[in-house]
Amino acid sequence: DTGVSQNPRHKITKRGQNVTFRCDPISEHNRLYWYRQTLGQGPEFLTYFQNEAQLEKSRLLSDRFSAERPKGSFSTLEIQRTEQGDSAMYLCASSAPGLVETQYFGPGTRLLVL
Amino acid sequence: AQSVTQLDSHVSVSEGTPVLLRCNYSSSYSPSLFWYVQHPNKGLQLLLKYTSAATLVKGINGFEAEFKKSETSFHLTKPSAHMSDAAEYFCVVSHGNNRLAFGKGNQVVVIP
């Protein structure tokens, strides 16, 4: 069990550019989640996948954001036309199905939009 | 709607003294409750979880939490703080709808 991994760990970009982040969940975890954490706040839910299906999206996920999990394994989160307000830590988590699911988090990708 | 309230965004404790972090939740149903810890430059790590079994839950690193339905609380405690406990702690609620709702966190500073 190698844990949840995320790449890159840090990303600096200029306003208006597109960025893409990758998350590799714990193997055999069929559920994958994306959260965003801004400074001084707890993480906020963005979206979640069960296998390759995106089952829920938060209102925080504007139309500039898109997430995919094409083969039910790794996932990507893309932000188009980045804005300074997108600067945050983007966290990925995965879980296995169960009565009370425990989500295991990756180290996050810290995005800074200049 | 589910929400979590963590007061005292910054908490200072002396090494060797007890730690108490307060968490109150609002919920229409029986929730699942968690405490996560976040060390600098590291991912969120699960400390413990309440799953409607025993109301006193023991976690890692000597932490424990007690679920009190009448008070809608899930406070986190540790008898004796260690320097390595300096981190940010989040109380989290879930209704099994696959999204976790986090509190704003407690930043714990341990004074030698």
Side-chain angles (χ1 to χ4, degrees), chain A:
Chain A
D1 183 352
T2 58
V4 178
S5 61
Q6 293 186 245
N7 288 288
R9 295 289 307 276
H10 302 272
K11 179 71 177 178
I12 300 175
T13 191
K14 292 183 179 179
R15 189 175 51 187
Q17 298 294 305
N18 299 342
V19 295
T20 300
F21 310 140
R22 176 178 169 128
C23 171
D24 287 89
I26 293 172
S27 58
E28 298 180 0
H29 277 191
N30 66 338
R31 294 184 178 175
L32 187 148
Y33 311 80
W34 286 98
Y35 292 81
R36 182 173 70 186
Q37 184 178 19
T38 53
L39 206 59
Q41 301 295 320
E44 296 172 292
F45 172 83
L46 290 178
T47 187
Y48 118 88
F49 292 84
Q50 180 164 304
N51 300 313
E52 64 275 10
Q54 188 174 17
L55 296 186
E56 192 173 352
K57 293 196 290 186
S58 161
R59 287 175 290 179
L60 292 175
L61 211 67
S62 76
D63 56 6
R64 295 184 297 105
F65 289 70
S66 62
E68 294 182 344
R69 194 182 183 198
K71 297 183 180 179
S73 56
F74 73 91
S75 175
T76 57
L77 177 67
E78 180 183 17
I79 309 175
Q80 296 182 326
R81 305 181 304 281
T82 52
E83 302 173 355
Q84 288 184 326
D86 297 331
S87 296
M89 176 77 86
Y90 290 85
L91 297 166
C92 176
S94 69
S95 70
L99 186 60
V100 178
E101 295 183 12
T102 298
Q103 295 184 21
Y104 296 89
F105 284 81
T109 295
R110 185 171 294 281
L111 172 67
L112 177 61
V113 181
L114 301 176

Side-chain angles (χ1 to χ4, degrees), chain B residues 8-15 17-21 81 106-112:
Chain B
D8 305 322
S9 60
H10 289 79
V11 176
S12 294
V13 297
S14 296
E15 189 177 18
T17 65
V19 180
L20 169 63
L21 302 181
N106 299 118
Q107 185 68 52
V108 172
V109 174
V110 182
I111 302 166

Side-chain angles (χ1 to χ4, degrees), chain A residues 9 31 33 35 37 40-43 45 48 56-58 91 100-103 105-107, chain B residues 32 34 36 38 41-44 46 49-51 88 90 97-100 102-105:
Chain A
R9 295 289 307 276
R31 294 184 178 175
Y33 311 80
Y35 292 81
Q37 184 178 19
Q41 301 295 320
F45 172 83
Y48 118 88
E56 192 173 352
K57 293 196 290 186
S58 161
L91 297 166
V100 178
E101 295 183 12
T102 298
Q103 295 184 21
F105 284 81
Chain B
S32 296
F34 308 80
Y36 279 84
Q38 189 174 37
N41 300 316
K42 291 190 177 180
L44 286 157
L46 180 69
K49 64 182 179 183
Y50 167 73
T51 62
E88 189 151 24
F90 294 97
N97 61 357
N98 302 306
R99 60 167 70 190
L100 299 180
F102 283 75
K104 291 189 174 182

Side-chain angles (χ1 to χ4, degrees), chain B residues 62-105:
Chain B
F63 284 94
E64 62 181 37
E66 186 173 9
F67 172 72
K68 291 186 177 180
K69 186 175 181 179
S70 60
E71 298 177 8
T72 60
S73 69
F74 190 56
H75 302 332
L76 181 71
T77 61
K78 181 174 180 177
S80 176
H82 190 272
M83 294 301 295
S84 62
D85 294 328
E88 189 151 24
Y89 293 79
F90 294 97
C91 183
V92 184
V93 64
S94 170
H95 288 296
N97 61 357
N98 302 306
R99 60 167 70 190
L100 299 180
F102 283 75
K104 291 189 174 182

